[in-house]
Amino acid sequence: MNKLIVAAVGGIAGGVLLSTQVAGPLLAQEEVRNASVYEQLDLFGDVFERIRSNYVEEVDEAALIEAAINGMLTSLDPHSSYLPPRDFDSMQVQTRGEFGGLGIEVTQEDGFVRVITPMDDTPAMEAGVEAGDFITHVDGEALLGLTLEQAVDLMRGPVGSEIVITIVREGEEQPFDVTIVRDRIRLTAVRSRLEGNTAVLRVSTFNDQTFPNLTEGLEGLIEEVGGLENLNGVVIDLRNNAGGLLSEAIRVSDAFLEQGEIVSTRGRDPQDGERYNATPGDLIDGRPMVVLVNGGSASASEIVAGALQDHRRAVVVGTNTFGKGSVQSVMPMPGNGAMRLTTSLYYTPSGRSIQALGVAPDILVEQREPVEVAEDEEQSPFRRNEASLRGAIENSTLTEDQLRQLEEEQAIAEASARLRNEDYQLAYAIDILTGLNALGPSAN
């Protein structure tokens, strides 16, 4: 018995010794790390004091500290930043669907301001600004060297005032100027319309109004075609949608999914990860869908496209998306400002991260430039067929109803041809839905 007690005590002593041997170096490393951090903070304080005392002009101390905080955040990634009170207020207003400005979503790449997308029916879109454009100057002032917030500040101004931005665009040999008149931007999150019997839902942003706009618009279109059984399918147009609220992307995806994961987020600590799942109920009861995307589709748009693609609920058509697969948390700070910090990456239901990769479409379809068609060619294109031959026998077997149906089908075909010329990607999406319906329910 005594031997057993001794052995147990020896084991405990050995455990204490081992713990001390392991913990000792770890504590020493932590102390060294903390000492280094304190030295750097002392260095920051010393630099701040020297600037305040010796800079050639008197400095705004609060602005200096704000710039230091923002520099610390922007050094992490393009989407982390400090929001001073005015910018924080503007961001909150924007998520509610109304704000002042040009109507463009921008990011920063290697010090240059890049347009993610112009928003629908805004001064920027009307002026011809395109996704992928680089803005180098505002009213002749270079943006290189400024933070993204400083560049955005230069683009802000009173409603009705004029601004000249200098753009560098791929395929253009020289930079060129674009004059834009600032306006109050009122976003309609979702615009709905019918193309034939196909519902087209143009989602321009993900704000508080997106899901209510979408459901209301879709219900109206279903009623217009005389019921869900007459609906050809749904096109969700996410082209040039730069994203917005994660919660709204989840609600839009859930609207067409019966079950399964929509998206998951994973941060530094695996325990902080979250999964968002669909709830029962599909607004269109399994009718076929196409999601349209392009290089201006980012963030929340990519969540929707990735979820519907992975669940094989929709065919994704267009070109590769932007590839913003990170999630930013907005944390209010003392002084009424906020910190926007990248805290996690999101993953599609199949477990893929699209960060810097984007969502690849199921069918790659490039947009085509419209071609001008002469009015006489549009109305009376020359077709060589039996009916065009001189003396051809007329078909007298058709009833008035059949003739009327032929005329309606001809009108639909002509409208489809016009749409194909105006918006080739959308026409392609509608053709896919038409084909799926022609094959019957088993193909859907």
Side-chain angles (χ1 to χ4, degrees):
M1 182 67 179
N2 291 337
K3 290 182 180 180
L4 289 174
I5 293 174
V6 170
V9 172
I12 293 169
V16 171
L17 178 62
L18 179 62
S19 174
T20 304
Q21 289 174 338
V22 172
L26 291 177
L27 289 172
Q29 290 175 13
E30 185 66 21
E31 288 176 2
V32 169
R33 188 181 300 112
N34 288 338
S36 176
V37 170
Y38 293 137
E39 287 176 6
Q40 293 297 313
L41 289 174
D42 287 341
L43 174 61
F44 173 80
D46 187 34
V47 169
F48 176 76
E49 286 299 328
R50 295 193 185 205
I51 292 173
R52 191 167 66 163
S53 303
N54 301 324
Y55 187 64
V56 65
E57 296 176 351
E58 189 172 342
V59 296
D60 183 332
E61 296 167 356
L64 203 60
I65 293 173
E66 186 179 294
I69 294 170
N70 197 51
M72 179 166 53
L73 287 163
T74 56
S75 71
L76 299 173
D77 65 76
H79 307 293
S80 295
S81 62
Y82 175 70
L83 300 170
R86 185 184 65 179
D87 292 350
F88 186 34
D89 290 341
S90 297
M91 188 204 72
Q92 291 173 304
V93 170
Q94 183 171 342
T95 61
R96 292 194 294 269
E98 182 177 324
F99 58 97
L102 305 180
I104 51 175
E105 290 279 352
V106 295
T107 186
Q108 198 165 42
E109 289 186 9
D110 300 323
F112 293 97
V113 175
R114 181 186 178 190
V115 177
I116 298 177
T117 182
M119 300 172 187
D120 288 348
D121 300 326
T122 60
M125 175 164 278
E126 291 172 5
V129 178
E130 297 180 2
D133 285 347
F134 285 92
I135 301 175
T136 62
H137 294 73
V138 171
D139 288 332
E141 183 174 343
L143 301 186
L144 186 62
L146 301 182
T147 66
L148 185 60
E149 279 68 31
Q150 289 170 330
V152 170
D153 279 342
L154 286 178
M155 288 185 269
R156 291 194 177 111
V159 171
S161 62
E162 202 172 77
I163 180 176
V164 178
I165 61 174
T166 304
I167 287 177
V168 172
R169 179 177 296 168
E170 186 177 354
E172 297 286 343
E173 293 184 3
Q174 297 293 331
F176 57 93
D177 291 340
V178 175
T179 301
I180 305 176
V181 177
R182 297 180 178 96
D183 198 0
R184 183 165 299 281
I185 309 302
R186 294 179 178 85
L187 290 180
T188 302
V190 182
R191 288 182 171 83
S192 54
R193 75 178 197 271
L194 284 175
E195 287 289 344
N197 279 10
T198 299
V200 179
L201 303 174
R202 166 65 186 149
V203 184
S204 58
T205 188
F206 288 90
N207 61 27
D208 289 340
Q209 302 303 312
T210 301
F211 183 72
N213 284 177
L214 183 139
T215 52
E216 182 181 346
L218 183 56
E219 287 170 2
L221 297 181
I222 292 172
E223 184 178 345
E224 191 174 339
V225 297
L228 191 56
E229 64 277 6
N230 297 322
L231 190 69
N232 196 36
V234 170
V235 176
I236 298 184
D237 186 355
L238 298 178
R239 291 173 297 178
N240 295 326
N241 182 326
L245 299 177
L246 172 65
S247 58
E248 290 299 299
I250 292 168
R251 294 178 75 189
V252 169
S253 302
D254 191 9
F256 303 100
L257 293 172
E258 291 282 1
Q259 61 182 358
E261 184 179 299
I262 294 172
V263 67
S264 63
T265 61
R266 305 175 204 171
R268 175 198 270 178
D269 188 344
Q271 294 180 344
D272 293 336
E274 294 189 66
R275 294 182 182 276
Y276 301 90
N277 296 313
T279 55
D282 179 348
L283 290 181
I284 56 173
D285 198 22
R287 301 299 296 168
M289 296 178 64
V290 170
V291 175
L292 276 177
V293 295
N294 65 5
S297 307
S299 192
S301 295
E302 295 171 292
I303 290 174
V304 175
L308 297 180
Q309 184 182 57
D310 281 2
H311 282 286
R312 302 177 66 84
R313 181 64 187 88
V315 181
V316 178
V317 173
T319 57
N320 211 80
T321 62
F322 185 77
K324 182 184 177 294
S326 59
V327 180
Q328 283 68 48
S329 299
V330 178
M331 308 171 186
M333 303 295 288
N336 298 321
M339 177 173 66
R340 182 167 52 199
L341 184 67
T342 300
T343 52
S344 57
L345 298 178
Y346 66 75
Y347 295 78
T348 68
S350 64
R352 56 184 169 139
S353 167
I354 61 168
Q355 173 60 24
L357 296 176
V359 174
D362 297 308
I363 303 176
L364 178 63
V365 180
E366 298 279 355
Q367 185 67 295
R368 295 181 181 177
E369 291 297 324
V371 177
E372 289 189 14
V373 180
E375 187 175 346
D376 56 343
E377 290 181 6
E378 185 177 348
Q379 293 177 352
S380 303
F382 178 78
R383 298 184 182 90
R384 183 165 179 79
N385 54 25
E386 174 68 18
S388 68
L389 298 178
R390 182 181 300 173
I393 301 172
E394 292 185 3
N395 190 330
S396 58
T397 63
L398 298 176
T399 65
E400 288 186 7
D401 287 342
Q402 288 172 327
L403 285 171
R404 191 179 303 110
Q405 183 178 351
L406 281 176
E407 290 174 357
E408 290 173 356
E409 289 173 353
Q410 180 63 26
I412 292 172
E414 291 175 356
S416 178
R418 284 194 296 272
L419 179 62
R420 188 170 288 103
N421 186 43
E422 295 166 2
D423 190 339
Y424 182 75
Q425 289 175 322
L426 177 57
Y428 197 105
I430 293 172
D431 285 345
I432 290 173
L433 295 176
T434 302
L436 288 172
N437 276 280
L439 292 175
S442 60
N444 299 336

